[in-house]
Amino acid sequence: MAVDSAISSPLGPPACKKDAKALQFIEEMTRNADAVQERILAEILSRNAETEYLKRFKLNGATDRKIFKSHIPMVTYEDLQPEIQRIANGDRSPILSAHPISEFLTSSGTSAGERKLMPTIQEELDRRQLLYSLLMPVMNLYVPGLDKGKGLYFLFVKSETRTPSGLLARPVLTSYYKSEHFKTRPYDPYNVYTSPDEAILCADSFQSMYTQMLCGLIERKQVLRLGAVFASGLLRAIRFLQLNWNQLAHDIRTGTLSPKITEPAIKDRMVPILKPNPQLADFITRKCSEDNWEGILTKIWPNTKYLDVIVTGAMAQYIPTLDYYSGGLPLACTMYASSECYFGLNLNPMSKPSEVSYTIMPNMAYFEFLPHEPNANRSSTRDLPLKLVDLVDVEVGKEYELVITTYAGLCRYRVGDILRVTGFHNSAPQFHFVRRKNVLLSIDSDKTDEAELQKAMENASQLLKEFNTSVVEYTSYADTKTIPGHYVIYWELLVKDPDNSPSEEVLNRCCLEMEQSLNSVYRQGRVADNSIGPLEIRVVKNGTFEELMDYAISRGASINQYKVPRCVNFTPIMELLDSRVVSAHFSPSLPHWTPQRRR
Ligand code: AMP
């Protein structure tokens, strides 16, 4: 029931008193965005005044924007790597942050093939928690009654390592789920999960998924929303159900847990939850043994009001598949965040995926924006000074790269995301996520850029040398029609000695060699998370890439400037390529991956 409150806001009316406070907070932050930003910057600069980094740029304790902007350079991860390495190696002096670095968050963005290490401090957990606490109050504005049921969310922890000095290095969500903030969260009727914490916190991804699915099936009628962090995660859960429904139904029928579940904490937790229920087992068997899985989510979880998954950015490729399995349930993208910093939330979470805009919360960090000219020729802009724009000064319709200054000590750090301003909520801008810079291929959280693909290609083509064969052209495609999706690389070969051309087995090995060369997030997706399928090379007929060029030119590309696209997803081009395929090859085994970093 809506609460009649004096503090109801343009975001109201709130669903309960707690929500009223949260919405009020959003209003305050967004109304005073510029003042909040100024305060945040001053706070960050004053507490970090004695850090080696700020002293190096002779800030001399200044905390105002003008001096900050004129003294501190914009940086990338690579610029900060020496400092980060020192922290990882055990230097506890205040290098970037006056507060001790509590751990490293391992980003899905990579540098030299390894996950970037983002230093963080203890109190950042509070900031993340604060942003999380705003999500349901906003959702409750659009979807009533979420306190009458539960959410089936597939949430996972991933492997963690330690740096040479013993600091933990792990993904930000793993850090959050393992924190007391999450584990001892107070009961909130609007935010009850079917997954027990014991399942979420189990590092074995099979046992974790199995238990979460089992609990979701047992409580299927209570489930009001279904989710995972990214769209790819929810599709992985559907695939898991396809492969394991028989065993799951057996457990439900007999009230016994599969012997594959060995984790003691899960086994104990499941005792009161899992009771023999032949009726439910029959239902699951009936639905899952149907050949047609269209709308399966709504058949099994009939009260689901929406899917809570990120389908913006690279994840947009999964929208049609999710629509297929859900019968077109609304897709809610609730927040925009990264290992470096949690940025903001979607104040209209039931909007269509193509219209999703995220409002950056001015209290999370100090935000600046580098104007991004989508078609700018680099050499012509090289000499222009790069002028960063403040949060409240961005212009509707323009694109920017996000630059952040955080409490943990990142100063004017380029995140690598390109955003377009769509409007304002009060004085806080709202952004459409356009894309991440330099990402060519992505299936799950992996991000492969052009240089990585080129290197992988070169390494693999070495195997062809002894057959006097070379790759004359190549392009790639992220094939998400299968679950999990996989990379497809189109190769046009020049076989100089047809009597000694590379065999099927050699081309299969080329697939594996490419995978070995890709970054650790890709390899982890292949090996540990099973979120990416085996890489495929499709060899195309000679002359195919020339046809591709002819096609581009017929559509207006300039002959002189034509470059082979290193990634394709335009249907007529895919059709052309696929109609010229002479053979297809898959990686025969898993690439090498361990949680340990190579460097
Ligand atoms: P990570 O550092 O591995 O957590 O990845 C963070 C990155 O994921 C961001 O910088 C974005 O590129 C991407 N990302 C996070 N949230 C969203 C979102 N809501 N929509 C699109 N991309 C997102």
Side-chain angles (χ1 to χ4, degrees):
M1 193 184 72
V3 169
D4 187 15
S5 148
I7 50 171
S8 80
S9 61
L11 280 177
C16 61
K17 272 203 181 123
K18 196 164 137 270
D19 286 9
K21 255 180 95 176
L23 299 179
Q24 171 81 358
F25 178 76
I26 296 173
E27 285 303 305
E28 271 170 30
M29 290 298 121
T30 54
R31 265 196 218 120
N32 305 308
D34 198 42
V36 174
Q37 282 284 275
E38 187 158 316
R39 172 173 64 76
I40 298 286
L41 181 66
E43 233 170 73
I44 293 173
L45 295 182
S46 67
R47 69 147 71 165
N48 288 337
E50 294 304 314
T51 57
E52 185 183 314
Y53 194 76
L54 289 188
K55 277 164 89 180
R56 185 184 308 161
F57 296 105
K58 312 236 170 332
L59 225 56
N60 294 332
T63 61
D64 65 290
R65 283 188 221 202
K66 208 160 160 238
I67 298 188
F68 171 74
K69 284 173 186 271
S70 61
H71 285 56
I72 305 287
M74 187 168 63
V75 292
T76 61
Y77 179 80
E78 285 68 29
D79 295 323
L80 293 181
Q81 215 160 18
E83 283 77 15
I84 288 176
Q85 202 55 52
R86 276 171 55 206
I87 300 169
N89 290 343
D91 190 335
R92 293 282 171 270
S93 63
I95 299 174
L96 297 174
S97 164
H99 287 220
I101 300 301
S102 52
E103 60 183 310
F104 281 108
L105 302 177
T106 53
S107 155
S108 61
T110 54
S111 175
E114 293 294 332
R115 287 172 179 272
K116 292 176 184 167
L117 288 175
M118 294 301 166
T120 190
I121 55 178
Q122 187 62 29
E123 65 167 50
E124 277 294 301
L125 267 168
D126 300 334
R127 240 167 248 117
R128 286 180 212 126
Q129 173 88 0
L130 177 64
L131 194 70
Y132 282 128
S133 75
L134 306 177
L135 303 182
M136 285 316 288
V138 171
M139 187 54 87
N140 291 336
L141 296 175
Y142 299 91
V143 185
L146 291 175
D147 56 335
K148 306 291 183 293
K150 298 187 178 185
L152 167 50
Y153 280 71
F154 295 95
L155 307 176
F156 299 93
V157 294
K158 291 195 181 182
S159 67
E160 41 189 54
T161 51
R162 288 192 183 268
T163 67
S165 69
L167 276 175
L168 272 174
R170 54 189 179 178
V172 62
L173 289 173
T174 300
S175 162
Y176 178 69
Y177 299 143
K178 288 192 167 183
S179 72
E180 292 307 310
H181 289 68
F182 180 76
K183 289 195 288 194
T184 60
R185 63 196 181 279
Y187 175 79
D188 174 355
Y190 290 91
N191 215 358
V192 183
Y193 298 137
T194 52
S195 298
D197 286 2
E198 290 81 356
I200 295 172
L201 293 170
C202 174
D204 179 309
S205 63
F206 179 89
Q207 294 191 49
S208 175
M209 176 77 95
Y210 191 94
T211 313
Q212 297 194 51
M213 186 61 83
L214 186 58
C215 294
L217 291 171
I218 292 170
E219 298 202 87
R220 72 182 192 95
K221 295 223 174 113
Q222 279 90 288
V223 171
L224 301 183
R225 48 203 177 104
L226 271 168
V229 179
F230 289 113
S232 53
L234 188 55
L235 288 171
R236 201 154 65 245
I238 297 170
R239 179 79 191 134
F240 187 91
L241 183 61
Q242 277 174 340
L243 296 174
N244 295 284
W245 62 262
N246 226 327
Q247 178 73 46
L248 288 157
H250 172 271
D251 290 8
I252 291 172
R253 185 177 307 283
T254 57
T256 56
L257 199 54
S258 157
K260 287 185 185 157
I261 307 304
T262 53
E263 173 67 40
I266 294 186
K267 287 167 76 174
D268 286 351
R269 187 73 178 82
M270 290 307 290
V271 171
I273 298 175
L274 183 59
K275 299 277 180 273
N277 187 343
Q279 223 183 344
L280 177 59
D282 285 344
F283 171 83
I284 291 164
T285 305
R286 233 179 11 256
K287 293 293 163 204
C288 293
S289 55
E290 282 173 16
D291 286 337
N292 181 358
W293 271 45
E294 189 169 357
I296 190 79
L297 296 182
T298 30
K299 288 179 191 164
I300 296 186
W301 293 283
N303 299 318
T304 311
K305 298 180 187 225
Y306 64 93
L307 304 185
D308 188 345
V309 278
I310 292 177
V311 285
T312 42
M315 290 293 148
Q317 60 190 337
Y318 294 108
I319 294 172
T321 319
L322 283 176
D323 284 346
Y324 173 82
Y325 286 118
S326 76
L329 280 175
L331 297 167
C333 298
T334 58
M335 70 186 281
Y336 170 42
S338 76
S339 318
E340 294 91 327
C341 174
Y342 278 23
F343 307 121
L345 75 172
N346 180 358
L347 295 180
N348 186 7
M350 300 306 274
S351 52
K352 278 199 277 178
S354 57
E355 288 165 15
V356 166
S357 287
Y358 298 102
T359 304
I360 287 193
M361 285 299 286
N363 59 304
M364 299 304 289
Y366 181 65
F367 298 101
E368 292 173 283
F369 298 85
L370 179 65
H372 176 77
E373 306 290 337
N375 300 315
N377 175 344
R378 249 198 223 145
S379 58
S380 67
T381 54
R382 193 187 297 152
D383 301 329
L384 295 177
L386 296 171
K387 198 162 171 356
L388 297 183
V389 176
D390 273 327
L391 182 67
V392 297
D393 295 330
V394 295
E395 291 176 50
V396 173
K398 291 209 169 149
E399 290 189 3
Y400 299 89
E401 183 184 339
L402 180 60
V403 176
I404 55 172
T405 297
T406 66
Y407 282 89
L410 299 177
C411 279
R412 310 194 96 187
Y413 175 92
R414 296 173 77 158
V415 174
D417 289 347
I418 307 294
L419 311 174
R420 183 171 53 247
V421 186
T422 55
F424 282 80
H425 180 76
N426 297 320
S427 58
Q430 304 187 294
F431 295 92
H432 171 71
F433 182 93
V434 179
R435 62 188 176 86
R436 192 167 169 102
K437 269 192 342 188
N438 304 332
V439 174
L440 211 56
L441 290 166
S442 173
I443 295 288
D444 189 33
S445 52
D446 55 303
K447 300 168 178 68
T448 297
D449 69 22
E450 199 165 326
E452 289 170 321
L453 184 65
Q454 171 73 22
K455 184 92 203 110
M457 229 287 305
E458 284 166 10
N459 290 348
S461 57
Q462 290 298 320
L463 300 179
L464 303 177
K465 268 196 168 160
E466 62 175 293
F467 302 96
N468 217 354
T469 295
S470 55
V471 181
V472 282
E473 272 309 350
Y474 70 97
T475 189
S476 65
Y477 169 63
D479 185 349
T480 52
K481 285 190 285 297
T482 54
I483 308 176
H486 70 291
Y487 288 10
V488 175
I489 319 293
Y490 293 91
W491 273 13
E492 185 171 319
L493 298 179
L494 178 62
V495 183
K496 293 193 195 114
D497 180 4
D499 294 335
N500 180 32
S501 60
S503 65
E504 164 89 24
E505 194 261 335
V506 171
L507 287 161
N508 292 346
R509 272 201 288 127
C510 287
C511 298
L512 181 59
E513 187 57 35
M514 285 198 75
E515 295 199 300
Q516 298 284 27
S517 312
L518 293 174
N519 67 45
S520 74
V521 180
Y522 175 90
R523 286 178 284 112
Q524 182 172 4
R526 279 282 284 129
V527 176
D529 306 342
N530 196 19
S531 58
I532 306 174
L535 183 144
E536 178 182 1
I537 291 176
R538 293 183 190 161
V539 178
V540 293
K541 264 199 221 152
N542 283 358
T544 301
F545 279 81
E546 201 150 327
E547 287 187 68
L548 208 69
M549 178 171 79
D550 292 343
Y551 179 80
I553 289 165
S554 74
R555 288 176 49 94
S558 137
I559 284 208
N560 294 328
Q561 290 173 336
Y562 177 78
K563 288 186 211 71
V564 175
R566 291 303 176 211
C567 181
V568 293
N569 58 11
F570 183 53
T571 309
I573 292 199
M574 309 297 312
E575 283 170 0
L576 191 155
L577 284 166
D578 282 328
S579 69
R580 304 292 187 273
V581 171
V582 290
S583 61
H585 311 269
F586 287 91
S587 195
S589 52
L590 293 172
H592 175 77
W593 177 81
T594 64
Q596 267 63 46
R597 301 168 67 81
R598 276 182 181 165
R599 298 168 303 115

